[in-house]
């Protein structure tokens, strides 16, 4: 897009940008969010989770508000869940294909934002291939508009991380007693970075990353994780396994010999799953590549909570949307 003037990296003060008088105004990254605020988001999501079993899955909390989904990068699952979450809160929703918008005709992103502001939008949900895009937009929007980062480059995907920890808390309970393994392409994964920040902020017992040296960031242990390059050693006795997709669209060069060999060394099959705790759960932020990072017998097996993650994503996004709009959910599970 003709949009982001260089440099477009994440700003240095996400905490100040995200919070206003202690209240969540934007959600751009997990970094800088304290444990009480993350727990408040999870608790509010718990309140919304009970709606999934109700006949009428709608609340009037955002009636009169307008949410604009600005997706500069292809997405189906994330865009759909944000849209559905907003509609369940009774907001009006605009889902715009920004790759076919006026920005492709020469209009700057700021001009596009000004036009959307003139349409009285209240919230922008932003996905972009460039790290820092959501921060850039948050710096330039009108004071009444909130910005939610739906994934920016290799930087952050905060709502995915929140729904992941929500899933872990629901299925495994107290995080301080758990060993969590994040497996695969951590280097290119905005999800993994946000997961690590969220898990450590919530004082998870142990966070491990497992992968080949080529797919782990330099000095990744400084993020507060234990590093394993051997899959069998890394999975031993873990309570939660989070598999990551190979981000081939972000790779420039050969990071693995072949997908077949990658699966042989780092794919999760039933034999390797047996090394984990007998009641371990298996997660994947999706979309999952069967036979590349995970075998179908595991993806569809009894330990998998992958589809539950999708369901919980609605509740977490409803919680975040209501909180940035200053609305307290008055529902019960």
């Amino acid at each position: 897009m003709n949009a982001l003037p260089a440099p477009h990296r994440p700003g240095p003060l996400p905490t100040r940008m995200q919070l206003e008088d202690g209240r969540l105004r934007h959600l751009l990254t997990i970094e800088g969010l304290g444990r009480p605020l993350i727990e408040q988001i999870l608790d509010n999501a718990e309140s919304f989770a009970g709606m999934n079993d109700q006949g009428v899955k709608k609340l009037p909390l955002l009636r009169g508000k307008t949410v604009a989904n600005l997706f500069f990068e292809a997405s189906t699952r994330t865009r759909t869940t944000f849209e559905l979450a907003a509609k369940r809160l009774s907001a009006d929703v605009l889902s715009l294909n920004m790759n076919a918008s006026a920005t492709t005709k020469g209009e700057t992103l700021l001009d596009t934002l000004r036009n959307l502001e003139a349409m009285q939008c209240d919230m922008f949900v932003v996905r972009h291939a460039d790290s820092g895009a959501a921060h850039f937009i948050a710096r330039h929007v009108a004071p009444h508009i909130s910005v939610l980062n739906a994934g920016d480059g290799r930087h952050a995907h905060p709502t995915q991380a929140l729904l992941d920890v929500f899933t872990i808390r629901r299925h495994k309970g107290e995080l301080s007693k758990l060993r969590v393994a994040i497996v695969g392409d951590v280097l290119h994964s905005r999800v993994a970075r946000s997961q690590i920040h969220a898990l450590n902020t919530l004082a998870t017992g142990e966070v491990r990353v497992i992968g080949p040296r080529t797919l782990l960031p330099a000095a990744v242990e400084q993020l507060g994780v234990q590093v394993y390059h051997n899959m069998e050693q890394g999975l031993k006795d873990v309570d939660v396994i989070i598999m990551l997709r190979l981000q081939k669209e972000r790779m420039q060069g050969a990071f693995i010999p072949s997908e077949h060999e990658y699966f042989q060394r780092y794919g999760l099959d039933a034999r390797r799953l047996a090394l984990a705790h007998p009641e371990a759960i298996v997660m994947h932020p999706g979309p999952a590549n069967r036979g590349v990072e995970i075998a179908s017998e595991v993806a569809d097996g009894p330990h998998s909570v992958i589809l539950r993650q999708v369901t919980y994503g609605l509740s977490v996004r409803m919680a975040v949307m209501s909180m940035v709009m200053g609305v307290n959910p008055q529902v019960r599970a």
Side-chain angles (χ1 to χ4, degrees):
M1 66 185 184
N2 285 339
L4 299 175
H8 45 80
R9 296 186 176 87
L13 297 171
T15 301
R16 193 175 69 183
M17 286 185 64
Q18 293 188 119
L19 303 181
E20 185 174 82
D21 298 328
R23 182 180 70 83
L24 193 66
R25 184 189 170 208
H26 305 296
L27 180 58
L28 308 175
T29 175
I30 297 294
E31 292 175 80
L33 298 186
R35 181 172 180 173
L37 182 54
I38 292 178
E39 290 181 336
Q40 183 185 356
I41 295 171
L42 301 181
D43 291 343
N44 286 351
E46 194 67 54
S47 297
F48 288 117
M51 290 181 58
N52 294 322
D53 300 322
Q54 297 178 4
V56 178
K57 300 180 177 61
K58 202 158 186 173
L59 292 168
L61 297 180
L62 295 191
R63 181 176 293 162
K65 303 293 186 182
T66 301
V67 176
N69 287 329
L70 312 180
F71 277 62
F72 298 87
E73 190 181 56
S75 167
T76 300
R77 187 192 337 261
T78 302
R79 180 181 54 78
T80 302
T81 55
F82 267 111
E83 181 173 333
L84 188 53
K87 287 180 176 177
R88 287 191 174 178
L89 293 170
S90 302
D92 295 319
V93 181
L94 303 173
S95 287
L96 305 176
N97 180 1
M98 301 307 291
N99 291 325
S101 75
T103 59
T104 64
K105 302 174 184 176
E107 185 176 74
T108 68
L109 176 61
L110 290 179
D111 287 335
T112 300
L113 294 178
R114 296 293 173 257
N115 279 281
L116 290 168
E117 289 174 358
M119 298 176 198
Q120 306 301 310
C121 290
D122 300 283
M123 189 187 310
F124 293 157
V125 179
V126 179
R127 169 170 282 203
H128 200 287
D130 290 341
S131 299
H135 286 69
F136 173 83
I137 291 173
R139 286 193 191 97
H140 291 88
V141 293
H144 71 281
I145 293 178
S146 291
V147 177
L148 305 186
N149 184 2
D152 62 327
R154 293 160 49 173
H155 172 234
H157 196 346
T159 58
Q160 178 68 48
L162 290 168
L163 75 88
D164 290 336
V165 295
F166 181 82
T167 303
I168 294 171
R169 195 177 77 162
R170 266 214 149 194
H171 286 266
K172 302 301 294 183
E174 177 58 48
L175 273 69
S176 65
K177 302 176 182 177
L178 301 179
R179 297 185 180 95
V180 178
I182 302 171
V183 183
D185 185 5
V186 178
L187 178 64
H188 300 97
S189 175
R190 56 197 175 202
V191 173
R193 282 174 174 74
S194 293
Q195 288 169 340
I196 291 169
H197 286 301
L199 289 166
N200 284 332
T201 301
L202 294 173
T204 302
E206 182 180 350
V207 182
R208 303 177 181 180
V209 296
I210 307 172
R213 297 182 190 279
T214 54
L215 293 180
L216 297 182
V220 64
E221 62 277 1
Q222 293 181 9
L223 295 175
V225 298
Q226 301 294 318
V227 180
Y228 292 82
H229 300 296
N230 181 284
M231 185 74 162
E232 283 72 15
Q233 293 175 2
L235 289 180
K236 185 174 176 53
D237 299 327
V238 297
D239 302 283
V240 179
I241 305 171
I242 304 175
M243 300 302 297
L244 300 174
R245 181 175 66 85
L246 280 178
Q247 306 270 310
K248 291 183 287 187
E249 72 276 16
R250 303 187 195 286
M251 295 181 183
Q252 296 178 344
F255 286 81
I256 57 173
S258 68
E259 291 183 352
H260 175 74
E261 185 168 335
Y262 179 79
F263 183 75
Q264 293 301 311
R265 296 191 61 187
Y266 293 101
L268 184 63
D269 56 16
R271 177 180 61 85
R272 287 190 170 126
L273 176 58
L275 299 170
H277 189 281
E279 297 181 359
I281 60 172
V282 176
M283 302 169 58
H284 195 304
N289 293 314
R290 295 167 184 255
V292 177
E293 63 256 0
I294 189 168
S296 289
E297 61 184 349
V298 176
D300 301 327
H303 294 267
S304 172
V305 295
I306 294 172
L307 291 179
R308 302 304 298 269
Q309 289 176 259
V310 179
T311 302
Y312 298 149
L314 280 172
S315 305
V316 169
R317 284 163 180 143
M318 290 171 71
V320 172
M321 287 177 159
S322 62
M323 289 174 69
V324 297
M325 288 289 101
V327 178
N328 185 33
Q330 297 295 320
V331 295
R332 290 289 182 269

